Amino acid sequence: MCILVKSQGNDTCKSTFEVLKMILTDILKWLIIQMHMILDSLVDLFFGFYYQHKSKKLPPIKNNLLLMSASELADNIRLKKVSSLEVVTAFIERAKEVNDIINAVVEDRYSEALREAKAVDELLQTVQNSNVIKEKKPFLGVPFTTKESIEAKGMLHTMGLTSRRDYRSEDNATVVDLVKQAGGILIAKTNIPELNLWVESRNNVYGQTCNPYNTTRNVGGSSGGEGAIIAACGAAISIGSDIGGSTRMPAFFNGVFGHKPTEGLTSLKGVGLRKKDYPNSMAESGPICKKAEDLIPFLKVLIGEKVSHLKLDTAVDLTKLNIFYQESSNDLRASKVNFAMKTALTKSVNHFKEITGSATKVKIPGSEYSYRLWRFWMSQENFDFKLHITNGSYRTSAIIEILKLVTGTSEITLAAIMKLIDEDILPKDNPEWAMNTTTNMKKYLLDKLGNYGVLFYPSSPFPAGYHYTSYFRPFNFGYWCLFNVLKFPVCQVPLGLDENGLPVGVQVVAAPYNDHLCLAVARELEKAFGGWVPPS
């Protein structure tokens, strides 16, 4: 018996068995989604009850310097409207004020930074042509921070490992050198997860970082301390790094901007445990900031000599953009995108639909396998997790660390043990399947986006969850890591707060080397919807 089935506008003849199989598959998917929603509701109910009335408020911002963009601060310092010493002092005082509440800063160099600020002011007294300074040192006198896993000479570089508790860097990471050469003043380093590989910034060396909008909530990882300190106005701008959403996830959870550039543009030397640059990595360094106007000038600094690969100074005619959007990854293991996040995506799409005249809904083939694909490509990175988690002492295993956990002798976090279980026990994906699926995804998106298209994609199923709830939702991570797999540029854009006072936002994606499109859209969305909102 043949039954006509309408699919994508075409009539197809299918057997009764095939139709029955389709119906049963749809029912099973529906049941999985419902069960997942129930589990998410129970998790939020339990943790919400536990954390009830435990959130601490940040003190209000009293100094208007803290509200300015890094670019505006640099202009005012260069034109001597304000001194670098005043600016650096203001941010240091704010960092001290909020850090007892959010635990973002893990080591500071406040005294050295104040001396460097005085030297900047003395230098500017001798400068006649401020335009030369703007060109060569665009962030002269502006305070910045970076995550603990990015090397800064003389500062701690534990990677969140107790076995590296006293390790200090002998040199700066290349990206830190570039920002210093641009005039930036490093004031502190911030918290991370152990070895950068978890979605919450917590480790056994520094403890847990808390969200400035609600201290019972997650700040993300691995640049979680950066996202928190920037949102709380404890620094003007920061350097993040991103191998699976590590810049964009904290930017989203903390309501600020974060950009992952096109593959291969930023130096990885000194980022994590890398002693040199590695080709073909999913990782990139990138800016985290409160204001969209800082994205391009700071990205130029971080890219350095490779800036000619991009068109950052090219004007973008927003009316000519081709707009695409996807509403969900379709991964059944991930949580369902909630109303607040759907609303954020919809209002972004509708705004650009008014500008351009159209917007096309798409579904990236293979997006439902985002986490599986990232897991495979991580195995191709130059990184031995089992060796690095012991600081090179020996190659550990899931069994060894589980036994240590049971006997109370483990020195690593539960997140790290879960990673070991994943490597040692869970089945691996077929390499040929992973490579072919990734190739097809790239081809699909390249054909769609071309040189003047952008994709709006959910940042996450929902805003920042309670501490520890990520253990129940590990596959939500796929919303970020997909674009590391593809190696496309993507910008996390804040779009205000939800009804619970937590940041919402959207990811903006473009084809490789079209970062300028992402950043132009980010500026427009900030203009339309306000962008970052002070947490206090």
Side-chain angles (χ1 to χ4, degrees), residues 392-530:
S393 299
Y394 59 94
R395 292 189 84 248
T396 191
S397 69
I399 298 299
I400 290 172
E401 294 304 330
I402 290 171
L403 289 173
K404 286 185 176 182
L405 180 67
V406 171
T407 57
T409 59
S410 178
E411 294 185 352
I412 66 176
T413 60
L414 178 58
I417 294 173
M418 288 174 62
K419 170 70 173 169
L420 289 170
I421 292 172
D422 181 51
E423 289 202 3
D424 284 356
I425 299 172
L426 299 183
K428 303 292 187 291
D429 283 304
N430 182 287
E432 184 178 356
W433 168 82
M435 292 178 183
N436 288 339
T437 303
T438 303
T439 298
N440 291 336
M441 293 170 73
K442 283 185 176 180
K443 184 179 185 306
Y444 175 86
L445 259 191
L446 286 171
D447 289 344
K448 288 288 184 185
L449 297 177
N451 283 323
Y452 230 70
V454 295
L455 169 72
F456 290 98
Y457 197 84
S459 300
S460 171
F462 35 68
Y466 293 106
H467 295 302
Y468 301 100
T469 56
S470 294
Y471 288 120
F472 299 92
R473 300 155 172 168
F475 300 107
N476 291 354
F477 170 69
Y479 278 86
W480 294 289
C481 67
L482 171 62
F483 300 106
N484 295 91
V485 169
L486 296 173
K487 300 181 178 178
F488 280 35
V490 52
C491 187
Q492 169 58 45
V493 181
L495 293 169
L497 309 178
D498 72 356
E499 61 181 5
N500 297 314
L502 297 170
V504 295
V506 69
Q507 293 187 89
V508 181
V509 186
Y513 304 105
N514 284 322
D515 298 55
H516 64 297
L517 301 184
C518 298
L519 305 182
V521 170
R523 291 193 299 274
E524 175 60 27
L525 289 175
E526 179 187 50
K527 179 181 173 183
F529 302 112

Side-chain angles (χ1 to χ4, degrees), residues 223-298:
S223 309
E226 291 304 303
I229 202 66
I230 291 295
C233 295
I237 204 162
S238 87
I239 310 171
S241 64
D242 193 320
I243 198 170
S246 295
T247 292
R248 290 163 289 132
M249 183 197 312
F252 166 66
F253 284 154
N254 295 281
V256 293
F257 293 89
H259 183 70
K260 183 196 80 67
T262 296
E263 168 203 3
L265 291 181
T266 58
S267 172
L268 295 177
K269 182 182 178 183
V271 176
L273 295 172
R274 302 174 184 89
K275 296 301 180 184
K276 60 181 181 179
D277 284 317
Y278 294 104
N280 305 317
S281 175
M282 292 189 291
E284 288 293 321
S285 295
I288 297 177
C289 51
K290 298 191 298 288
K291 304 287 187 177
E293 71 171 307
D294 287 331
L295 289 167
I296 286 180
F298 202 61

